[in-house]
């Protein structure tokens, strides 16, 4: 178009992303907030209300804060009448309209609705204390965003944000589902708070996608999901005798890895008068961590056969080296050993269907012939590849960690930066301070230039040590860096695998180390 390439190069870093997306975040006073800025059309409102309805819990009332609706050439009276009908159908408890058009049509909205002619008037009339234990949908457009309303109701935390792309979760789920038979169930692992991403939104997304089971590590995680409105079956992988009350009260399905635990579970089921409670029998086929061996399985069968309070719903095992082709012989022996255990257990209960599963994320792509009744989707669900042979290249990382610059200073060569004066500048430098540190999950070994974070598309090495709540990066040579600029810790420009490689660990550890004080924001593209 005749624009000088140098001018384009100067202007490109100034572009900012348009937030055409739907965000989910924690709000004030135990509120949950859904902020949708995609569009303000009637069809978009229907989709937003549908998304909201899948997140309803008994302990939260429903609130919709709605901006002016784009009539898209249709009669405005008809459009607002349709919107009112949608809101009634969804049983919205509280409706707030903001904008000159919706304010003038307040009589079209359901009874009890409150409207304001502008965002400014709304902000001057309410405070965060006016909202408590509500699921709030804030629905505006890019032309008239309700961003200030969202900021009023957003729970205050530090500026570091872990963003989780729910569309990427769906894509990864479907990637693996396309590689198994239509009748093969998908067990989704969301232990450790969804590998650090937060379990509630992931569980709601997976429940709506048709996953067969969720699996958590401890009963507290399962109880949490039940309180968040998750109704699908949940397996607890590391249950304990002390957890039995919570397991039964929340209808969680425990893994059985010892006869003693099985007997305790049966005793509690008998005391409660419960029959046919589902349990999952763990087989140690080679991991040598938890589970029954072939020679101990007869005792399990004997105990199960002697009562009808608990029943085996599935038998499963865990591959320990599926991602290492040099250990394939050992993996094949695990498959063979597990099959013998399956035959033994199933033959003892000929009238009962007992599911079996052994494949993890890697196993789904490498050993499709062993998919059996179900497969377990773990790190692959989060977009982390375990194989680099092209078989998992379609996976999309779901998480990105970012913060923002809070200070920019110019220092002469020889200046020391940070604790113990260990960051020594070898040149005149521009150093930015960012509010993220080891209390947020940034390992101290990433300091001293061992890692680089991305600012305006440029990788900027760390300088000096990682502090508890902040760290410093070298932004020398990047024009115009200023407070407020986004800093990517990991994401599209800095793969989490690169951080893991620097630390000599695996992506699992990096993801699960992100502190709970870091705000989680979930979004749909």
């Amino acid at each position: 178009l005749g624009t000088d390439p140098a001018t384009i190069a100067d202007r490109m870093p100034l572009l900012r992303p348009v937030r055409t997306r739907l965000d989910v975040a924690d709000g004030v006073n135990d509120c949950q907030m859904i902020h949708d800025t995609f569009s303000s059309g009637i069809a978009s409102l229907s989709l937003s209300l549908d998304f909201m309805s899948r997140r309803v819990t008994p302990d939260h009332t429903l609130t919709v804060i709605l901006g002016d609706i784009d009539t898209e050439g249709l009669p405005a009276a008809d459009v607002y009448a349709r919107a009112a009908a949608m809101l009634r159908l969804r049983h919205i408890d509280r409706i707030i309209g903001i904008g000159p058009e919706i304010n003038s049509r307040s009589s079209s909205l359901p009874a009890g609705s409150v409207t304001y002619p502008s965002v400014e008037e709304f902000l001057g009339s309410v405070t965060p204390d006016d909202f408590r234990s509500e699921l709030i949908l804030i629905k505006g457009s890019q032309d008239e965003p309700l961003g200030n309303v969202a900021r009023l109701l957003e729970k205050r935390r530090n500026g570091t944000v872990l963003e989780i792309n729910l569309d990427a979760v769906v894509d990864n789920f479907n990637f693996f589902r396309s590689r198994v038979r239509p009748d093969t169930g998908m067990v989704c692992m969301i232990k450790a708070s969804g590998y650090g991403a937060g379990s509630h939104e992931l569980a709601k997304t997976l429940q709506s996608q048709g996953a067969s089971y969720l699996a958590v590590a401890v009963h507290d995680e399962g109880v949490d999901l039940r309180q968040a409105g998750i109704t699908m079956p949940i397996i607890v992988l590391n249950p304990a005798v002390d957890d039995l009350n919570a397991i039964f009260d929340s209808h969680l399905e425990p893994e059985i890895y010892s006869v003693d635990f099985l007997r305790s579970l049966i005793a509690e089921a008998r005391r409660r008068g419960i029959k046919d409670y589902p349990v999952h029998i763990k087989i140690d086929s080679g991991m040598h961590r938890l589970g029954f061996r072939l020679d101990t399985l007869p005792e399990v069968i004997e105990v199960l056969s002697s009562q009808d309070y608990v029943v085996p719903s599935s038998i499963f095992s865990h591959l320990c080296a599926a991602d290492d082709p040099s250990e394939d012989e050992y993996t094949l022996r695990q498959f063979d050993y597990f099959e013998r255990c399956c035959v033994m257990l199933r033959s003892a209960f000929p009238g009962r269907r007992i599911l079996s599963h052994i494949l993890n994320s890697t196993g789904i792509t490498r050993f499709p012939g062993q998919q059996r009744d179900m497969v377990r989707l773990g790190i692959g669900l989060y977009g982390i590849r375990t194989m680099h042979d092209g078989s998992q290249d379609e996976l999309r990382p779901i998480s990105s960690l970012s913060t923002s610059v809070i200070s920019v200073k110019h220092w002469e060569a020889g200046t020391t930066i940070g604790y113990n004066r260990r960051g020594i500048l070898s040149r005149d430098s521009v150093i930015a301070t960012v509010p993220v540190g080891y209390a947020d999950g940034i390992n101290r070994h990433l300091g001293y230039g061992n890692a680089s974070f991305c600012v305006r598309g440029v990788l900027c090495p760390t300088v000096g040590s990682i502090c508890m709540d902040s760290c410093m990066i070298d932004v020398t040579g990047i024009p115009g860096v200023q407070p407020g600029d986004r800093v990517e810790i990991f994401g599209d420009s800095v793969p989490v695998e690169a951080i893991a490689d620097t630390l000599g660990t695996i992506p699992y550890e990096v993801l699960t180390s992100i502190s709970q004080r870091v705000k989680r924001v979930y979004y749909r593209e």
Side-chain angles (χ1 to χ4, degrees):
L1 299 177
T3 301
D4 179 71
T7 302
I8 295 175
D10 287 340
R11 291 178 178 177
M12 281 295 180
L14 303 178
L15 292 175
R16 291 293 178 265
V18 178
R19 295 176 64 84
T20 54
R21 68 185 210 183
L22 182 151
D23 289 349
V24 181
D26 289 335
V28 297
N29 305 322
D30 190 37
C31 290
Q32 189 79 2
M33 191 174 64
I34 303 170
H35 186 200
D36 184 1
T37 60
F38 183 74
S39 76
S40 59
I42 193 71
S44 179
L45 175 60
S46 177
L47 293 172
S48 299
L49 290 171
D50 183 57
F51 183 87
M52 182 186 195
S53 70
R54 295 197 298 271
R55 279 143 184 84
V56 173
T57 56
D59 55 345
H60 282 70
T61 58
L62 304 183
T63 297
V64 171
I65 300 177
L66 183 63
D68 286 343
I69 302 173
D70 184 355
T71 60
E72 299 172 330
L74 299 173
D78 293 345
V79 170
Y80 278 89
R82 286 178 59 191
M86 289 180 185
L87 294 168
R88 291 190 190 95
L89 182 64
R90 300 290 182 173
H91 302 290
I92 305 302
D93 301 290
R94 184 181 185 187
I95 300 168
I96 298 172
I98 302 177
E101 181 68 21
I102 198 169
N103 184 62
S104 68
R105 297 183 177 276
S106 59
S107 60
S108 301
L109 299 176
S113 301
V114 179
T115 62
Y116 299 87
S118 67
V119 170
E120 291 73 21
E121 187 155 332
F122 169 81
L123 295 176
S125 303
V126 302
T127 70
D129 287 338
D130 294 319
F131 297 85
R132 291 188 178 276
S133 299
E134 300 170 46
L135 177 61
I136 305 170
L137 170 63
I138 302 173
K139 178 65 175 169
S141 69
Q142 295 178 59
D143 295 330
E144 287 205 55
L146 302 181
N148 287 336
V149 177
R151 281 186 282 277
L152 172 74
L153 300 178
E154 187 176 12
K155 188 174 183 178
R156 299 301 179 192
R157 296 190 182 182
N158 65 23
T160 303
V161 178
L162 183 68
E163 294 187 311
I164 297 95
N165 185 340
L166 297 178
D167 285 332
V169 174
V170 172
D171 287 348
N172 295 336
F173 178 84
N174 288 332
F175 168 84
F176 286 100
R177 182 159 60 180
S178 71
R179 281 151 179 77
V180 297
R181 298 185 306 269
D183 60 343
T184 299
M186 303 285 282
V187 181
C188 294
M189 313 298 289
I190 55 172
K191 59 184 181 177
S193 189
Y195 290 53
S199 59
H200 292 181
E201 280 302 316
L202 294 180
K204 291 168 185 174
T205 299
L206 295 167
Q207 181 168 267
S208 67
Q209 287 300 307
S212 302
Y213 279 87
L214 299 177
V216 297
V218 295
H219 81 282
D220 284 342
E221 295 174 328
V223 172
D224 222 24
L225 291 174
R226 289 288 184 241
Q227 292 174 346
I230 300 302
T231 58
M232 64 186 295
I234 300 173
I235 300 174
V236 180
L237 298 174
N238 298 315
V241 172
D242 292 342
D243 308 337
L244 293 182
N245 284 332
I247 285 173
F248 282 111
D249 290 344
S250 297
H251 201 76
L252 307 174
E253 302 182 17
E255 168 188 312
I256 304 298
Y257 54 82
S258 77
V259 173
D260 288 343
F261 178 75
L262 175 59
R263 293 185 190 279
S264 297
L265 189 73
I266 290 170
E268 180 62 19
R270 182 188 296 114
R271 188 187 71 79
R272 290 171 173 254
I274 293 174
K275 295 291 184 73
D276 296 330
Y277 198 84
V279 298
H280 302 266
I281 308 302
K282 177 67 174 290
I283 298 299
D284 179 6
S285 63
M287 175 71 80
H288 304 327
R289 183 171 61 184
L290 285 175
F292 299 103
R293 298 288 290 172
L294 194 61
D295 59 342
T296 61
L297 199 51
E299 183 180 4
V300 181
I301 292 172
E302 180 182 354
V303 173
L304 288 170
S305 301
S306 66
Q307 52 79 56
D308 60 355
Y309 299 104
V310 306
V311 295
S313 180
S314 84
I315 178 172
F316 71 104
S317 190
H318 194 91
L319 299 176
C320 66
D323 56 351
D324 187 351
S326 68
E327 293 288 354
D328 280 358
E329 183 179 346
Y330 188 86
T331 300
L332 294 176
R333 289 205 302 270
Q334 281 195 264
F335 290 140
D336 179 68
Y337 191 94
F338 179 60
E339 173 61 20
R340 285 188 284 156
C341 292
C342 290
V343 170
M344 180 182 291
L345 182 66
R346 284 171 165 168
S347 63
F349 300 92
R352 177 172 297 280
R353 184 180 183 225
I354 302 175
L355 305 174
S356 65
H357 46 108
I358 190 172
L359 292 186
N360 54 11
S361 299
T362 309
I364 296 171
T365 54
R366 294 202 63 223
F367 303 100
Q370 292 289 335
Q371 62 186 263
R372 308 184 74 93
D373 300 300
M374 296 195 295
V375 294
R376 296 192 305 279
L377 183 52
I379 195 66
L381 179 66
Y382 302 87
I384 305 301
R385 293 181 294 165
T386 56
M387 298 300 297
H388 299 275
D389 57 1
S391 62
Q392 297 179 348
D393 285 357
E394 294 178 42
L395 295 179
R396 302 173 60 196
I398 73 166
S399 301
S400 62
L401 179 64
S402 65
T403 186
S404 57
V405 172
I406 59 173
S407 174
V408 179
K409 293 185 177 180
H410 296 252
W411 299 107
E412 297 178 349
T415 302
T416 59
I417 305 295
Y419 283 114
N420 302 114
R421 305 188 65 198
R422 292 180 181 168
I424 303 175
L425 301 181
S426 61
R427 61 176 181 178
D428 292 351
S429 303
V430 182
I431 304 299
T433 300
V434 295
V436 62
Y438 59 78
D440 302 295
I442 308 302
N443 193 292
R444 293 187 73 247
H445 292 93
L446 297 177
Y448 308 110
N450 293 326
S452 294
F453 305 149
C454 188
V455 180
R456 297 194 175 193
V458 180
L459 294 179
C460 304
T462 57
V463 180
S465 59
I466 303 293
C467 309
M468 179 182 290
D469 308 301
S470 61
C471 64
M472 285 67 75
I473 56 176
D474 188 339
V475 296
T476 307
I478 306 176
V481 174
Q482 58 189 348
D485 281 356
R486 183 178 184 271
V487 180
E488 180 188 295
I489 310 301
F490 62 75
D492 292 336
S493 301
V494 184
V496 69
E497 291 93 335
I499 301 291
D501 289 345
T502 297
L503 297 173
T505 186
I506 56 178
Y508 299 61
E509 182 176 353
V510 177
L511 293 172
T512 58
S513 295
I514 304 304
S515 168
Q516 288 303 308
R517 81 175 185 177
V518 173
K519 180 171 66 177
R520 270 72 171 167
V521 173
Y522 305 87
Y523 68 94
R524 300 295 301 266
E525 295 169 342

